[in-house]
Amino acid sequence: MNNTELKGLRTQIDEINLKLLDLLNERARVVELIGAYKRSAGIQDVYDPIREREIFEHLCSQNKGPFDDEMIKNIFKQIFDESSELQSRQRI
């Protein structure tokens, strides 16, 4: 691999990062809608361990790598935690 090829790959990473950012923000908007529903329904807990487990199971069943299932769980755990924080901040 030469410098030009490396630069091209880094450009691809930059483009993918922006797509991921857009998707994360789209996901966050849906999370806010779920939070609004929970508040209107009187649901206090933003964290649902059963739902989280179901999502992990589904994601791992669809995972084709190269990330292994534990890596996928770690990445999504962070996304879930930040989503819960977003819903909690809406309550303040």
Side-chain angles (χ1 to χ4, degrees), residues 28-43:
R29 286 187 285 278
V30 174
V31 163
E32 288 178 326
L33 293 173
I34 291 169
Y37 168 79
K38 287 179 178 179
R39 279 189 310 283
S40 71
I43 300 170

Side-chain angles (χ1 to χ4, degrees), residues 6-32:
L6 178 61
K7 185 176 179 179
L9 292 172
R10 286 180 172 165
T11 297
Q12 286 181 44
I13 290 292
D14 292 343
E15 291 169 0
I16 293 167
N17 285 343
L18 291 175
K19 290 176 186 176
L20 285 169
L21 179 61
D22 285 343
L23 288 171
L24 287 169
N25 281 315
E26 181 180 345
R27 186 185 192 285
R29 286 187 285 278
V30 174
V31 163
E32 288 178 326

Side-chain angles (χ1 to χ4, degrees), residues 25-76:
N25 281 315
E26 181 180 345
R27 186 185 192 285
R29 286 187 285 278
V30 174
V31 163
E32 288 178 326
L33 293 173
I34 291 169
Y37 168 79
K38 287 179 178 179
R39 279 189 310 283
S40 71
I43 300 170
Q44 296 297 315
D45 291 332
V46 296
Y47 175 66
D48 183 347
I50 294 169
R51 173 74 174 138
E52 182 176 272
R53 187 182 72 245
E54 291 170 349
I55 294 170
F56 281 149
E57 288 172 0
H58 180 70
L59 289 169
C60 290
S61 75
Q62 300 299 307
N63 183 23
K64 294 175 179 56
F67 284 128
D68 65 34
D69 289 350
E70 262 327 289
M71 292 171 159
I72 292 299
K73 286 179 184 178
N74 289 337
I75 291 166
F76 276 89

Side-chain angles (χ1 to χ4, degrees), residues 27 52 55-56 59 76-84:
R27 186 185 192 285
E52 182 176 272
I55 294 170
F56 281 149
L59 289 169
F76 276 89
K77 180 64 175 159
Q78 187 66 41
I79 292 169
F80 298 160
D81 289 349
E82 296 302 331
S83 296
S84 292

